[in-house]
Structures are given as C-alpha cells and as structure tokens.
Amino acid sequence: MEDRLVIKGIEFRSRLWVGTGKYRDFEETKNVIEASGSDVVTVAVRRVNIIDRKSENLLDYIDPKKYKILPNTAGCYTVEDALRYSRLAREAGISDLIKLEVIGDEKTLFPDTIGLLKATEILSKEGFVVFPYTNDDPIMAKRLEDAGAAAVMPLGAPIGSGLGIRNPYNIRIILEAAKVPVIVDAGVGTASDATIAMELGCDAALINTGIAGARDPVVMASAMKHAVVAGRLAFRAGRIPKKLYATASSPIEGML
C-alpha cells in the first residue's frame, strides 16, 4: 500500500527531517544529512549562513535540488523578528516553506503561542507554507491549523533536552483532531524516541540535537532513519492491545 507524505501538494520522500545546528562544520553536517536519508533540511536563518554567497555557505555543501530547504526562525522572540527572517529567506530565493518559531522564554525555549498564532496567520496569508513549532497543547494545535498552518509541529519535550515524548496522550489527541500533518519536533534523544513518535501516528519527526549531540552523529543519523521507518511501519501494521494477563502464543485446542 502506498504511503506518501504530501503537504500542500509537495511530496516528501522521507519522514525524518533533520536540523543543521551544533555540528562541527559544514562537512560533518553534509555527512549527517546523507546518512539520515532525509530530503528535508531545516536551517536557522539567524544562525547558519544560507543567504550570503560570498561567505562559506551551507548550500555549498548540500544540493538544493536534492534537498528541500526549510528555513526556520530559531532565535526569534518576537513576531516582528519571525516575520522579518521568514521574508528574508524567501526574498533570498531559499523557499516559501518556513518552520516558524516564536520563542517565549530563554530558559525553557517554550513557544510564545500567542505570537506564534499571530505570525502563522500573517505568513499564511502571504503565501508561505507554514510549519509552526508549538507546544503539545491540542487546542493551540487546532487554532494553528485554522490559522492556515500547513502542518503542526508539537514538541515531544523541550528543545535539546533529549527527554523523548513526555506526553504521548496529548500527541494522540492532537493527531485525532488534526486535519493537517503532525510532525514531532524537539526532545527526541535517541532512536527509540523517534520510533515512539511514529508509532503514535505522527507523520514525520524533525530531529537536530538528538543526532548532533551523539558521540557519532553520522551513525546516529542512520539509526534515526531506520527508527522512523520502523515506527511508521508499526503504526500502519497496528500494535496488539496491551493486556494484564498472559495469552498463549500457540493454540490450546487439541493439546495432548
């Protein structure tokens, strides 16, 4: 059975999307992206050079024809900043896609969801394909969808924490209500976390620190690739119900 991920008419080859922060250099970033099998690469417009072609540029290492570049507004604490960097990326010819972040607090890096909703409304009306990074609040996820979000990206846990999916029940509620794809973003620390996200039914997972912070990022990127595939297959197959008591694996009729 065909299992395609299509968002706003754009087909995505991989359900693992990767970030580009925290790597030793662009060469390591390139090797990780290749090992991940991802076709979506998100880049913080404020932190990683993809615009100035006169300086060393990430796009010198990865082929924009091979990968979908997803600019993001990481590091933006106001709606105005998020709008400015979104428009800057588009004006530079990078993409109409934008992973929208409006951060509300330096310590937790939790989203400012009020600002996020406002920025989503504005950018959607301007024709952007908006992927808002939000908390795991089902009500806010629905409001972002109503505001024009192409998908919603609830956190699994705080950015960079590696705590895994802390509230799978909220993610399930978001999935049940959403009419747009749901992509888990932030908190995935290792391959099993990615598998859990996919087994819940998420459409994709975006991972940065879980790969970049590993002892061997390239090997972890490969592990994440297989974890996402396994989790998606398990979701499609359907897990058995959990039971308190044992059930014999073999038929008991006709036993000697």
Side-chain angles (χ1 to χ4, degrees):
M1 183 174 68
E2 195 173 26
D3 185 34
R4 303 162 63 214
L5 175 59
V6 179
I7 304 175
K8 292 283 188 181
I10 304 167
E11 183 164 359
F12 296 84
R13 186 180 68 246
S14 171
R15 292 177 184 271
L16 170 60
W17 298 7
V18 294
T20 52
K22 302 182 179 179
Y23 292 105
R24 187 171 58 244
D25 50 36
F26 285 152
E27 187 65 32
E28 183 179 63
T29 309
K30 172 188 173 185
N31 293 336
V32 162
I33 294 169
E34 290 179 352
S36 75
S38 177
D39 63 338
V40 182
V41 178
T42 186
V43 183
V45 179
R46 296 191 73 170
R47 296 170 176 161
V48 179
N49 180 28
I50 54 173
I51 294 175
D52 182 4
R53 302 299 296 183
K54 296 178 182 177
S55 303
E56 187 180 35
N57 189 311
L58 177 62
L59 300 185
D60 294 333
Y61 291 80
I62 61 174
D63 183 357
K65 295 178 181 176
K66 182 177 178 182
Y67 300 101
K68 297 176 181 64
I69 306 301
L70 176 59
N72 72 62
T73 60
C76 292
Y77 285 82
T78 66
V79 172
E80 291 72 23
D81 274 352
L83 296 178
R84 181 164 60 252
Y85 283 97
S86 299
R87 292 163 178 160
L88 181 63
R90 182 158 77 173
E91 288 168 6
I94 303 301
S95 179
D96 289 336
L97 311 179
I98 189 72
K99 182 198 162 195
L100 183 62
E101 296 187 22
V102 181
I103 300 300
D105 174 64
E106 288 187 7
K107 183 176 181 180
T108 63
L109 298 180
F110 283 142
D112 169 0
T113 52
I114 296 173
L116 182 69
L117 183 61
K118 182 177 180 181
T120 298
E121 290 173 339
I122 294 170
L123 291 174
S124 297
K125 288 177 181 176
E126 292 181 7
F128 281 89
V129 179
V130 183
F131 297 84
Y133 162 71
T134 185
N135 56 28
D136 59 4
D137 176 0
I139 304 304
M140 182 51 64
K142 193 63 184 171
R143 289 189 176 180
L144 289 166
E145 177 183 319
D146 294 342
V152 291
M153 304 184 74
L155 56 80
I159 292 172
S161 67
L163 290 171
I165 310 300
R166 303 312 298 163
N167 196 334
Y169 305 104
N170 274 21
I171 299 292
R172 283 182 58 185
I173 294 170
I174 291 172
L175 284 162
E176 286 180 9
K179 293 184 176 61
V180 296
V182 176
I183 301 166
V184 159
D185 182 15
V188 173
T190 190
S192 57
D193 298 335
T195 301
I196 289 170
M198 300 307 294
E199 286 178 345
L200 286 169
C202 293
D203 296 279
L206 194 156
I207 305 170
N208 189 167
T209 304
I211 297 174
R215 186 170 61 249
D216 189 329
V218 174
V219 173
M220 183 59 85
S222 181
M224 293 293 191
K225 174 178 71 175
H226 294 292
V228 166
V229 171
R232 181 67 184 178
L233 287 173
F235 168 72
R236 292 176 62 196
R239 66 155 297 138
I240 64 169
K242 294 181 180 179
K243 300 176 183 176
L244 183 59
Y245 295 103
T247 304
S249 298
S250 303
I252 58 175
E253 293 80 6
M255 288 182 65
L256 298 177

